Amino acid sequence: MERIKTIETRDLKESAVKGGCGECQTKGVANQQCEEK
Amino acid sequence: MVHQYKLNGYNIVLDTCSGSVHAVDEIAYDIIGLYKEKSPEEIAEIITEKYADENITPDDVFECIEDVKALEEKGKLYTPDTYEDMAFDFKNRNTVIKALCLHVAHTCNLNCEYCFASQGKYHGERALMSLETGKRALDFLIENSGTRRNLEVDFFGGEPLMNLEVVKELVAYAREIEKIHNKNFRFTLTTNGILIDDDVIDFCNKEMSNVVLSLDGRKEVHDRLRKDYQGRGSYDIIVPKFQEFVRRRGDKSYYIRGTFTHANTDFTNDIFHMADLGFKELSMEPVVCAPDDKSALTKEDLPLLFEQYEILAKEMLKRQKEGNGFTFYHYMLDLTHGPCIYKRISGCGSGTEYMAVTPSGELYPCHQFVGDKKYLLGNIYDGVTNKEIQNEFKLCNAYARKECADCWAKLYCSGGCAANSYHASGKITGIYEYGCELFKKRIECAVMMKVAEQFDN
């Protein structure tokens, strides 16, 4: 039986390769959004 | 690093360094907790004994252990932390300025007791930013923004509407120069609401990407601290104005933004009051003030606040199902399109990508440092001259604090707010433990809501 349900999330390790475009905005960062969608 | 917690009937497992989120049953929850400490045989013995009433067999346990192992191999559980070297390379990173907080008014028409800006004056003299200074600030932003197209400017104070004509002329100037330089200015404005009229509403709804409207919630809560200089509360003046402002705003963003203090540790009632007034985009922040201030939150308040955050999350889920939901800033997690690891390490950008400009054109790392000469970075004419301070901010991230090394939330908070750390510990790389506790609780609630939404779908 399925005991573990994995919720879809952005892979942070992958984002080390694909992220870093710097286009994100700057009164934490958890609820910020990207502006590699 | 793995964080496990139970909330609202869900068993949740967070894998810090991959960002993965798992919702699991009781048995998997226990197995994940034991997996790194015990052998499969030992785990099977513990689990079968604990769940004897449910006829769990050793094979059931081994099957679940295999699932856990598969997640580990896929990099979704027990992911090692390999980001530390990346964090300390940030000093060599060339950053551009993305945003300015323009202090167009160091004065205010309210006399709020808890104001971090000492009634808008920032421990200095009353002052209004001149048009010339504001224009130079916008030029400075363009000159230091590199190839970045979107530039953010927040009109702040004090009360920025006390310098409305300059705000209008600065927006007009920005619209002229953005075409020349292939930039796109996005403006926000934070106001206490007193001076809102039809003219302000029309102007802001045309030009401001976002407006932040200060309301603390219930009338008696709001009026206790947000008074004018005659000691009169401001609730009755501003609420109808905010309602009209938001009604005419259409689908453009806004936040009704409150502050809660020791006097209203039942702050969810203030959030629900905002929602019942018809507002849908809400934010409520813990007061930040000296520990001996009568508004300061206390250690004894903490369990109450935790409970409040849980009540809020559950009520939001309920209202969402009923079709009358609202958003709460700190619960707006985007698990699939959230920030990349570089952003999660580097944090809010204060002192490097974001700066505050005083009415005279001085530069500070952010609005919370304004007036503290130790943190004066430079000015809009000569640029950043205090590179030493700026370098401190470049390295002020999730890996700068040894206390954060084993914290599961460090890639959600990026080490937290530098100003809060400074005010709590005397250094920007210190720890504001109280803020950490509240932050972690909010993240737990926000993730739980995402899990609940997945199950509902």
Side-chain angles (χ1 to χ4, degrees):
Chain A
M1 65 178 288
E2 187 189 42
R3 297 188 184 280
I4 302 174
K5 180 180 171 65
T6 296
I7 311 296
E8 188 190 355
T9 55
R10 184 178 191 185
D11 186 325
L12 291 185
K13 296 189 306 306
E14 196 174 276
S15 81
V17 180
K18 290 186 171 180
C21 68
E23 287 298 323
C24 48
Q25 292 186 27
T26 64
K27 287 287 183 194
V29 296
N31 44 10
Q32 296 293 298
Q33 281 196 307
C34 269
E35 290 189 88
E36 290 192 40
K37 293 282 185 195
Chain B
M1 192 185 318
V2 164
H3 176 60
Q4 297 181 249
Y5 67 100
K6 299 183 178 193
L7 183 56
N8 197 24
Y10 298 101
N11 303 320
I12 297 172
V13 180
L14 305 180
D15 187 50
T16 296
C17 293
S18 69
S20 298
V21 176
H22 311 281
V24 304
D25 73 0
E26 291 284 346
I27 289 164
Y29 188 87
D30 286 347
I31 288 172
I32 288 168
L34 295 165
Y35 180 80
K36 285 293 184 183
E37 309 296 327
K38 305 282 184 186
S39 70
E41 291 71 23
E42 288 172 317
I43 294 172
E45 189 179 342
I46 293 167
I47 297 295
T48 51
E49 188 175 324
K50 181 174 178 181
Y51 294 96
D53 294 349
E54 297 179 34
N55 297 321
I56 298 298
T57 67
D59 281 347
D60 292 332
V61 177
F62 293 138
E63 185 184 350
C64 186
I65 289 173
E66 283 303 310
D67 291 343
V68 171
K69 190 178 175 189
L71 285 170
E72 181 180 28
E73 287 169 354
K74 275 195 234 172
K76 291 182 179 297
L77 257 184
Y78 313 109
T79 305
D81 187 342
T82 56
Y83 306 128
E84 190 163 6
D85 290 345
M86 198 188 289
F88 287 97
D89 194 39
F90 276 21
K91 190 172 179 179
N92 302 317
R93 203 172 59 141
N94 283 322
T95 52
V96 298
I97 301 179
K98 299 176 173 184
L100 289 180
C101 182
L102 282 194
H103 288 224
V104 291
H106 273 193
T107 182
C108 191
N109 44 12
L110 287 184
N111 186 25
C112 307
E113 286 182 31
Y114 55 25
C115 181
F116 79 90
S118 66
Q119 288 65 48
K121 300 191 296 294
Y122 290 86
H123 312 288
E125 298 296 314
R126 290 177 186 280
L128 296 177
M129 182 178 282
S130 70
L131 178 59
E132 289 66 32
T133 301
K135 282 181 167 180
R136 175 58 207 148
L138 296 178
D139 291 340
F140 169 80
L141 176 55
I142 284 182
E143 289 162 12
N144 290 277
S145 61
T147 58
R148 181 181 172 80
R149 183 158 187 275
N150 289 325
L151 303 177
E152 273 81 35
V153 174
D154 186 21
F155 293 109
F156 200 63
E159 173 49 48
L161 293 183
M162 293 179 78
N163 201 5
L164 178 61
E165 287 313 308
V166 164
V167 171
K168 284 181 172 178
E169 291 187 61
L170 287 176
V171 169
Y173 178 68
R175 295 296 177 226
E176 279 175 31
I177 60 175
E178 69 181 0
K179 296 187 191 87
I180 299 166
H181 298 281
N182 190 30
K183 302 287 185 183
N184 176 43
F185 278 99
R186 292 187 295 199
F187 295 105
T188 59
L189 182 139
T190 302
T191 178
N192 63 30
I194 297 290
L195 293 175
I196 288 174
D197 57 18
D198 283 344
D199 179 42
V200 168
I201 291 174
D202 290 342
F203 168 69
C204 288
N205 286 349
K206 177 171 181 274
E207 295 289 3
M208 299 294 150
S209 301
N210 199 359
V211 288
V212 179
L213 310 172
S214 299
L215 171 68
D216 282 355
R218 293 163 291 182
K219 177 176 164 61
E220 65 273 22
V221 169
H222 181 94
D223 282 348
R224 185 186 297 130
L225 295 170
R226 299 188 66 83
K227 300 172 182 171
D228 65 15
Y229 280 88
Q230 284 71 47
R232 297 170 300 198
S234 54
Y235 179 97
D236 289 335
I237 296 171
I238 64 165
V239 166
K241 291 174 186 257
F242 285 170
Q243 287 173 313
E244 179 65 6
F245 198 158
V246 167
R247 187 185 69 75
R248 284 158 58 178
R249 196 152 172 78
D251 58 0
K252 292 187 89 167
S253 294
Y254 67 91
Y255 277 109
I256 298 291
R257 190 266 193 222
T259 299
F260 68 85
T261 72
H262 178 63
N264 63 317
T265 50
D266 62 342
F267 66 88
T268 54
N269 289 318
D270 294 293
I271 295 175
F272 300 149
H273 179 74
M274 293 171 178
D276 294 340
L277 286 171
F279 301 121
K280 299 293 183 191
E281 298 179 36
L282 313 178
S283 166
M284 179 67 87
E285 304 299 326
V287 70
V288 176
C289 60
D292 56 355
D293 191 298
K294 67 179 181 186
S295 292
L297 296 163
T298 67
K299 193 176 176 184
E300 291 70 33
D301 290 336
L302 212 45
L304 299 173
L305 302 180
F306 287 169
E307 183 184 37
Q308 289 289 297
Y309 280 124
E310 291 187 15
I311 290 169
L312 174 62
K314 291 171 187 173
E315 179 68 13
M316 285 179 69
L317 287 169
K318 177 172 162 281
R319 292 194 187 203
Q320 201 170 300
K321 277 185 185 168
E322 292 167 351
N324 61 345
F326 60 86
T327 63
F328 175 60
Y329 175 68
H330 287 294
Y331 289 174
M332 292 169 69
L333 285 188
D334 185 339
L335 294 179
T336 50
H337 298 137
C340 68
I341 189 63
Y342 299 97
K343 176 68 175 170
R344 283 173 181 251
I345 292 172
S346 60
C348 69
S350 62
T352 55
E353 299 175 330
Y354 170 87
M355 293 175 198
V357 183
T358 68
S360 65
E362 292 176 324
L363 291 169
Y364 284 90
C366 87
H367 54 285
Q368 294 233 14
F369 288 97
V370 166
D372 186 337
K373 293 295 182 186
K374 182 182 165 192
Y375 283 96
L376 179 62
L377 284 172
N379 61 63
I380 53 175
Y381 306 99
D382 305 316
V384 174
T385 50
N386 193 341
K387 296 289 185 186
E388 191 179 343
I389 288 289
Q390 187 170 49
N391 282 337
E392 272 187 49
F393 277 84
K394 273 190 177 181
L395 286 176
C396 181
N397 60 49
Y399 289 86
R401 302 160 170 89
K402 65 181 189 314
E403 297 92 335
C404 301
D406 297 323
C407 178
W408 63 268
K410 65 183 174 187
L411 296 179
Y412 290 99
C413 77
S414 309
C417 168
N420 285 353
S421 298
Y422 174 57
H423 294 132
S425 72
K427 53 182 185 173
I428 63 171
T429 52
I431 293 289
Y432 174 45
E433 278 186 54
Y434 203 96
C436 294
E437 293 303 312
L438 294 179
F439 188 92
K440 286 189 278 192
K441 188 66 191 178
R442 291 194 299 252
I443 291 294
E444 286 186 343
C445 290
V447 171
M448 180 278 286
M449 291 179 71
K450 289 294 173 190
V451 169
E453 287 165 14
Q454 288 273 323
F455 275 85
D456 286 347
N457 293 335

